[in-house]
Amino acid sequence: MIALVRQASVIIAALSATTAVNGVQGPASADPKTLVYASRDGTDLLLDLYLPANPIRRPIPVIVFVHGGGWSGGTRTTGPDFKRYFAQDGFAMASIEYRLTPSITFPANVEDVRTAIRWLKANAVAHGLDGDRICLWGTSAGGHLAAVAALAPRGTFEGSGNANESSAVRCVLEAYGPTRFDVMDAQTQEERSTLQTPVVTINIFGGARGGERGGALPAPGARGEPGGRGRGAVAHDDPASPESRLLGAALQSVPDRVRAASPITYVGKNAPPYLIMHGLADNSVPHGQSVLLYEALKAAGNEVTLRLVDGLPHTFFNRTDLDEVAGPFRMDVRETSGGGAEVQRVERAGVFIVAREFFRRHLK
């Protein structure tokens, strides 16, 4: 265990040094290519493809980003600066849009995620991409969709287009997403007394530029974000909650739909490696949701790491300069490597540094 802790510390320290040298000076990509990956009901679904200026390898591995917004808001620019993350490591970034509630209900949006993955594989050669090296990165509602898309069996939630391609991915970074809707309110109450004070503010819908500036933290439940502990937030069980709108009914009245929408339902022994991250100042989605997904993946014998981060609120990955202005952060880490014994430790690291190490390990 001591050796594992030392090894992890060396990795984080090395990556910290790389960031100190590169910062925002790493190989930057040009403006993205905006591409149509599908059309639904007469409307094109788009993705922005960011290519690194100096790829470390060709063809180029791809990270598919799935934005948050309570399944009803956000766009493919809702996130950090994709010209920086993770172009400095030689990866292409494909930030996708998907259909939003209330015009659709689950599983239409997860079908869009899988459709985008297959489109990237089918069109990999045309854009210089490595269709065999694709990882998913989802935040909040996008984390939920990424988790379901990566775990559901082949032939489920596939949508249409490029049916000869697989929707399988190499790895998943799932950040602060709901994983089991019907216990969210109970977990909210359990965590109320230990909810931490945020150490930084986040502009939830600022996109890359707004994320760099930070900005005010809106009230939980505002502008499409999942409701939760915050004053004025909508309870998850409420018929007006983002989760209920996603299911098309008050969630406690449709247990079959709740189960179908839960990534935990699809956990098996052949899941891709997962990194799950959640802030302990999150007043929108209880961090117990991430613990549930971690426990399910661990019990099935998969490679999975859980990092609970002190002081970070919901949507923290939307702020590009987060590590510089507030890091490194104390993290409670639990991890298991495919059926092995669990290792627990405490680390201090930047959240983007941890994400970089995860993608580099699985896309190298």
Side-chain angles (χ1 to χ4, degrees):
M1 179 174 176
I2 293 175
L4 285 171
V5 172
R6 288 176 177 169
Q7 181 182 25
S9 298
V10 168
I11 291 172
I12 297 297
L15 285 168
S16 297
T18 301
T19 298
V21 173
N22 289 340
V24 296
Q25 304 301 317
S29 58
D31 289 338
K33 300 177 181 179
T34 298
L35 305 167
V36 177
Y37 75 84
S39 293
R40 298 287 183 266
D41 301 321
T43 300
D44 290 339
L45 293 176
L46 307 177
L47 64 80
D48 286 342
L49 181 63
Y50 299 78
L51 296 172
N54 300 304
I56 295 173
R57 55 164 287 164
R58 293 182 186 273
I60 307 169
V62 187
I63 300 170
V64 178
F65 183 80
V66 189
H67 69 80
W71 305 281
S72 65
T75 72
R76 62 188 187 278
T77 64
T78 302
D81 184 355
F82 297 118
K83 293 183 181 180
R84 175 178 177 186
Y85 295 113
F86 288 94
Q88 64 182 330
D89 296 309
F91 301 136
M93 295 294 304
S95 184
I96 69 170
E97 63 184 23
Y98 52 86
R99 287 172 288 174
L100 303 173
T101 62
S103 62
I104 57 91
T105 56
F106 182 89
N109 40 16
V110 76
E111 290 175 357
D112 295 341
V113 176
R114 284 193 147 187
T115 297
I117 293 168
R118 295 197 310 277
W119 186 93
L120 286 163
K121 291 183 178 184
N123 294 274
V125 174
H127 298 286
L129 307 177
D130 190 339
D132 292 326
R133 295 179 186 273
I134 296 178
C135 282
L136 275 173
W137 175 19
T139 61
S140 190
H144 162 262
L145 296 178
V148 176
L151 291 170
R154 186 164 187 170
T156 306
F157 310 144
E158 295 288 7
S160 61
N162 302 299
N164 57 317
E165 300 287 353
S166 166
S167 301
V169 295
R170 284 288 187 100
C171 67
V172 182
L173 196 173
E174 195 279 334
Y176 40 84
T179 62
R180 186 178 163 187
F181 300 160
D182 57 346
V183 298
M184 291 180 74
D185 279 342
Q187 289 182 332
T188 292
Q189 292 302 319
E190 291 172 4
E191 297 176 17
R192 186 182 295 276
S193 63
T194 58
L195 183 65
Q196 296 180 358
T197 300
V199 298
V200 66
T201 58
I202 310 293
N203 186 335
I204 291 179
F205 284 89
R209 292 184 179 178
E212 289 173 354
R213 290 194 302 268
L217 182 67
R223 303 183 68 181
E225 281 300 305
R229 276 169 280 262
R231 184 169 48 195
V234 176
H236 301 286
D237 288 349
D238 191 285
S241 74
E243 296 80 18
S244 294
R245 293 199 305 269
L246 177 67
L247 300 178
L251 67 87
Q252 294 294 354
S253 70
V254 285
D256 289 347
R257 293 186 210 175
V258 169
R259 186 177 186 278
S262 172
I264 295 171
T265 299
Y266 308 104
V267 170
K269 64 180 180 180
N270 295 316
Y274 265 72
L275 170 61
I276 305 169
M277 302 183 73
H278 210 124
L280 293 176
D282 190 329
N283 63 358
S284 293
V285 175
H287 69 263
Q289 292 284 291
S290 288
V291 174
L292 287 175
L293 181 58
Y294 170 80
E295 293 284 3
L297 288 162
K298 181 185 76 166
N302 296 294
E303 178 182 339
V304 56
T305 300
L306 172 68
R307 289 178 175 264
L308 300 179
V309 189
D310 273 8
L312 287 189
H314 200 62
T315 73
F316 61 76
F317 268 126
N318 284 9
R319 181 159 181 169
T320 297
D321 64 354
L322 180 61
D323 287 348
E324 288 83 0
V325 301
F329 303 94
R330 182 189 182 279
M331 303 182 185
D332 291 313
V333 185
R334 298 172 61 186
E335 67 180 4
T336 181
S337 55
E342 181 185 77
V343 175
Q344 298 187 25
R345 63 181 182 274
V346 174
E347 286 182 2
R348 292 191 68 87
V351 294
F352 283 101
I353 297 220
V354 167
R356 286 183 65 201
E357 191 275 330
F358 177 72
F359 289 129
R360 288 173 64 169
R361 186 186 335 138
H362 294 289
L363 289 174
K364 64 183 179 181

